[in-house]
Each structure stands twice: as C-alpha cells, then as structure tokens.
Amino acid sequence: MSKYLIAGNWKMNTNLDDAKRISNVLHSYKNFDSEVEMLICPPFTHLNFMSELLDMSRISLGAQNVYSETEGAYTGEISNDMLVSVGCEYVIIGHSERRIIFSENNELINKKVTNSLKAGLRVILCIGETMQEREEGRTNSILGSQLDDCLNKVEFNIENLKVAYEPVWAIGTGKTATNEQISDTHDFISDYLKKRYENSHIKILYGGSMNSTNAKEILSIENVNGGLIGGASLNPESFLEIYNSAIELI
Ligand code: PGA
C-alpha cells in the first residue's frame, strides 16, 4: 500500500480538449513513486478516453459521483458497473457540493458507499463541517455522526475505503484549515476508524484549498495520508508539484 494518495477532483471543469492537454502533461511525467499514488477524478464524459490514454499502472482514475442503484429507470444517473466497465477504480462519494447543492443526505451516501464497495470500487468518502458548526464547537460530533451514518453496516472491503476530511468552509475559498485544526481533526477521524475497524489502515485525505505552496506542510501532519485537490488539480504543473511534495516526505 502506498504511503500517500494525491487525488485531483476536476469537478465540472474541462472540456475534452482541456482533459487531453492535462492528461498529456501528467502522462509524460517521469518521476512517479510507488509510495505516492496519483489519482485523477475527471467528469464522467472523460473517463473512457482517459483510461485508454493514461498509463493506469501509474495514474489511477476515479469518478466524482455514482448512483446508489444498480440499473434501471434513473435518467441521467451512472452506475457502479458503468464506472468499472470504463476502467474506473475509484469513486468520490458524499462531497459537500453533492450534499449541499444536490441535497444528498447521509442515508443516500451510505447506500452509495455500500454498493460501490460491493462493486469492487475504492471509495473516497467525504466528510466535513461548516464554519458555523465549527464555531459552535460541534466539529467532532458532526464528523462522528457523518461517519456513523455514512458507514452504517459497512463492514466489508474496508481495505478499499478512504476518508477525505474537507471542511466545507475551506473548499474553493482559498482558506485552508490551520495545521492545528487539521491535526486535531485527522486525529479524531483516525481514532474513530481505528476503533471501528480494528487493524485497518484507512487513509485520511485532507481537502480544502490545498495547493503547491501549502501541500508539503499539510501532508507532513500526522494522520494526513494524502490530499483531495480541486482547483489546483486543473493546472497539471501545480498538481505535479503537490505530488512531488508528497514524494519529498517519504
Ligand atoms: P479545492 O477543492 O481544492 O478547490 O478547495 C477541494 C475539493 O472540493 O475536493
């Protein structure tokens, strides 16, 4: 198992030409290290061609969302099986943008996590508190209940589970959590996961305005096992600098 996972979440950005341009830069990168896994999560429409273009032994491919049902009359939705069939290995579930904009609740997220793990996908479950919840001193109780509910009855394929801590107020805002906030919160999540899944080594990623300037410091914090990077992952040079920061910490 690699030491770090550096994941790019392109969100609803890039057309096919942009995706080809970024993929070509990543593809020609020479300094891959098996201790640092690189993951790209482009929009659904790019998954198929990217799985053909990228050297998947070096760069993993993930989706940003999936539906909870296996097949049927769900216009506009994408199933686990469809993702697997185009070479997708990972899926991000429960991103705060899905929770807030698309009203996804913990119950739906739990269903998605369950079915994606059953389908053999690796799941990045996102959790995080709002600024108001943090100011009210409720961060750990919110994260604890998100973990309780989203992982309800999830007791299998745990080796394929990762958790991303993404404070809602730090996403796309340029406001990163302080090192102390990240450290305290990752320790809390790590304790929770160790208690819940004995002897498991579930990676905990930090997400929220991570960039090439702050990545090394954040990744050096104990219990930070990688990053989920939005904005900075759209610039392949910046993303590779973040990837390199992880290599420097090995
Ligand atoms: P950001 O996004 O790096 O642009 O803050 C992170 C995320 O939403 O995963």
Side-chain angles (χ1 to χ4, degrees):
M1 194 166 65
S2 64
K3 183 151 190 265
Y4 287 107
L5 174 61
I6 302 297
N9 172 13
W10 290 2
K11 309 193 181 187
M12 198 178 74
N13 295 298
T14 68
N15 60 24
L16 207 54
D17 287 340
D18 299 325
K20 281 181 186 155
R21 177 180 47 79
I22 300 174
S23 299
N24 282 330
V25 177
L26 300 178
H27 190 66
S28 55
Y29 181 68
K30 296 276 178 281
N31 198 19
F32 284 96
D33 188 310
S34 59
E35 287 295 313
V36 186
E37 181 176 0
M38 183 186 291
L39 167 66
I40 303 294
C41 302
F44 288 130
T45 47
H46 309 341
L47 285 170
N48 199 11
F49 98 86
M50 283 182 66
S51 73
E52 283 163 15
L53 183 84
L54 295 175
D55 176 353
M56 301 264 299
S57 64
R58 291 158 168 254
I59 305 177
S60 306
L61 198 58
Q64 300 169 18
N65 182 31
V66 67
Y67 195 49
S68 51
E69 301 297 329
T70 40
E71 63 179 348
Y74 303 105
T75 301
E77 293 300 329
I78 300 281
S79 72
N80 287 298
D81 189 41
M82 292 173 191
L83 295 181
V84 171
S85 72
V86 293
C88 191
E89 302 170 275
Y90 277 87
V91 60
I92 299 172
I93 296 180
H95 191 282
S96 62
E97 285 151 16
R98 303 276 340 151
R99 293 173 186 263
I100 296 165
I101 305 169
F102 301 99
S103 308
E104 292 196 6
N105 59 24
N106 288 337
E107 196 185 336
L108 176 67
I109 293 165
N110 174 240
K111 224 170 161 189
K112 292 185 176 195
V113 170
T114 304
N115 290 338
S116 293
L117 287 174
K118 272 189 195 155
L121 283 162
R122 297 183 197 157
V123 168
I124 299 178
L125 167 65
C126 300
I127 57 172
E129 83 290 356
T130 62
M131 185 47 104
Q132 190 182 344
E133 288 160 347
R134 177 164 281 277
E135 282 172 353
E136 290 168 0
R138 296 198 292 131
T139 300
N140 289 356
S141 78
I142 291 291
L143 298 177
S145 64
Q146 287 177 343
L147 288 167
D148 282 344
D149 295 347
C150 297
L151 295 175
N152 183 29
K153 299 200 177 108
V154 173
E155 306 295 347
F156 48 86
N157 293 357
I158 295 310
E159 65 284 3
N160 283 347
L161 178 67
K162 330 274 163 201
V163 171
Y165 167 57
E166 299 207 306
V168 175
W169 47 274
I171 296 178
T173 57
K175 265 191 234 160
T176 326
T178 63
N179 291 351
E180 197 184 347
Q181 288 168 329
I182 297 174
S183 173
D184 288 349
T185 315
H186 277 245
D187 287 352
F188 170 79
I189 298 169
S190 172
D191 287 346
Y192 177 103
L193 293 171
K194 277 187 188 134
K195 262 186 225 140
R196 172 80 193 267
Y197 301 111
E198 255 173 65
N199 294 325
S200 61
H201 296 284
I202 298 173
K203 280 196 172 69
I204 308 169
L205 316 183
Y206 170 79
S209 299
M210 194 187 261
N211 57 40
S212 52
T213 312
N214 60 27
K216 191 165 180 185
E217 205 172 324
I218 295 173
L219 292 168
S220 69
I221 298 170
E222 205 180 335
N223 290 322
V224 175
N225 315 116
L228 183 53
I229 298 124
S233 71
L234 292 168
N235 176 329
E237 286 78 18
S238 298
F239 186 64
L240 288 170
E241 274 182 53
I242 297 172
Y243 180 86
N244 258 316
S245 322
I247 295 182
E248 284 165 18
L249 292 166
I250 298 294

